[in-house]
Amino acid sequence: AGELAMATLNIRAVTSWVGIARLFALVLSCLAFSLVASTRDFWGPYGTWCMFTWCFCFAVTFLVLLLELLELYPKLPLSWDDFTSAFSMLAALMVFTTSVVFPSIFISSPCSGSKCARQAVATAASCLCFLAYALEVGLTRAKPGDISSFLSTVPGLLKVFEAYVACLIFSLLDAYSSKPGLQWCVAVYSICFIVTLLIIIFTIGRCLAYLPFPLEKMMVGYNALALMMYITATILWPLYSFRGTSRPAHCDRSCRWDKHLGVTFLTIFNLIAYLVDLVYSTRMVFIRTP
């Protein structure tokens, strides 16, 4: 019975390049949250976000490795390749954000002592963890012409990016209800986020085949509409946010002006993402690769 159990182990889950990248991500995320936990200095929403990111990525990566090692993933009612592609992209984005936020908030200057050293090593581990997830994204990305796993294609990865950037925008929204232009921008962010998230969920859940219209052409139409909506948001958000105002002399981390500036840049990032998404999805539909 023991030999039979050993025979069912999929050793390639940890010996392939993808498996090795996941192992590195597992160890590095564990190292990051362990070191930060030992300093007991992860207060406030930023500290909570950083710890959640490392713990979440560790837990899901461990689960992915375990399911692939025991070859249990085919029994799950979801598209495994789409799920792992979406997760690796999401983890790369989350860990990248954390690698920037944590040192800027918690590592003070001048920096000395064992606490500072542990925070610095945790930051370095987080940066390397981002590289491990980015490597996994690169290794699992679909080759041109291969659309068997949508979320591993460039448009699919961009969908995860667009949804994540929208979440960052929501975290920075502040005092927009008094101006109709800003209300329209929030509506743009919300509508595009909801539709993009539904596409990701339906893809992972293998529900897209039940839609009563051609998915590829619908995706092109949605990307074109989202692009036009984001063009209006890119113009209206800074116009209504900064008109007649300048940056206050004392602008701390909760400064409304800085938050509005962050939303402006994130809106531009998503505008570019939807533009690239439209180009790639159009090529996938109308220019078939032999």
Side-chain angles (χ1 to χ4, degrees):
E3 292 178 359
L4 182 61
M6 287 294 292
T8 60
L9 290 179
N10 178 22
I11 303 301
R12 278 190 56 79
V14 291
T15 58
S16 64
W17 285 112
V18 174
I20 292 170
R22 287 171 179 162
L23 284 173
F24 270 107
L26 187 76
V27 172
L28 291 165
S29 58
C30 180
L31 178 63
F33 76 70
S34 299
L35 286 170
V36 173
S38 70
T39 67
R40 297 183 179 179
D41 189 9
F42 48 91
W43 39 264
Y46 294 109
T48 303
W49 163 255
C50 294
M51 286 296 285
F52 169 76
T53 295
W54 292 320
C55 294
F56 170 75
C57 293
F58 171 83
V60 178
T61 302
F62 178 78
L63 183 64
V64 167
L65 281 169
L66 185 65
L67 290 173
E68 290 212 344
L69 187 64
L70 300 177
E71 293 192 323
L72 296 175
Y73 64 90
K75 299 178 181 179
L76 298 176
L78 51 82
S79 173
W80 183 251
D81 289 339
D82 284 309
F83 169 75
T84 53
S85 296
F87 167 70
S88 60
M89 183 65 177
L90 177 63
L93 294 169
M94 291 176 67
V95 174
F96 174 78
T97 307
T98 298
S99 302
V100 174
V101 168
F102 180 77
S104 64
I105 299 293
F106 294 98
I107 299 182
S108 57
S109 180
C111 180
S112 59
S114 64
K115 176 182 174 181
C116 178
R118 281 177 283 174
Q119 289 175 326
V121 173
T123 302
S126 186
C127 293
L128 292 173
C129 185
F130 158 70
L131 293 177
Y133 281 119
L135 176 62
E136 182 184 347
V137 171
L139 290 171
T140 57
R141 189 172 73 85
K143 304 298 184 292
D146 179 15
I147 56 172
S148 57
S149 172
F150 171 69
L151 292 181
S152 64
T153 64
V154 172
L157 295 173
L158 284 170
K159 285 284 176 285
V160 180
F161 177 84
E162 292 153 5
Y164 182 73
V165 171
C167 289
L168 294 181
I169 290 174
F170 294 143
S171 71
L172 294 175
L173 289 178
D174 187 16
Y176 59 85
S177 59
S178 60
K179 299 176 182 178
L182 298 184
Q183 291 177 354
W184 163 253
C185 293
V186 174
V188 169
Y189 306 141
S190 302
I191 293 169
C192 293
F193 170 74
I194 292 171
V195 176
T196 300
L197 185 63
L198 287 175
I199 291 172
I200 294 170
I201 293 173
F202 284 0
T203 302
I204 293 174
R206 295 174 176 170
C207 300
L208 293 176
Y210 300 104
L211 297 178
F213 42 77
L215 172 66
E216 296 86 356
K217 294 181 180 178
M218 182 275 290
M219 209 77 76
V220 173
Y222 163 65
N223 289 333
L225 179 61
L227 178 64
M228 290 187 288
M229 293 173 70
Y230 260 90
I231 288 173
T232 64
T234 305
I235 297 170
L236 293 176
W237 181 268
L239 181 66
Y240 279 88
S241 295
F242 304 118
R243 186 170 56 185
T245 62
S246 58
R247 191 174 190 272
H250 302 287
C251 202
D252 57 13
R253 287 169 187 157
S254 60
C255 178
R256 182 179 299 171
W257 198 94
D258 278 0
K259 288 183 177 180
H260 284 182
L261 183 64
V263 172
T264 301
F265 280 106
L266 291 171
T267 302
I268 295 171
F269 291 159
N270 247 2
L271 172 68
I272 296 171
Y274 277 108
L275 175 61
V276 177
D277 197 351
L278 177 62
V279 172
Y280 267 91
S281 58
T282 302
R283 286 180 58 189
M284 287 175 63
V285 172
F286 300 106
I287 306 175
R288 298 292 183 182
T289 305

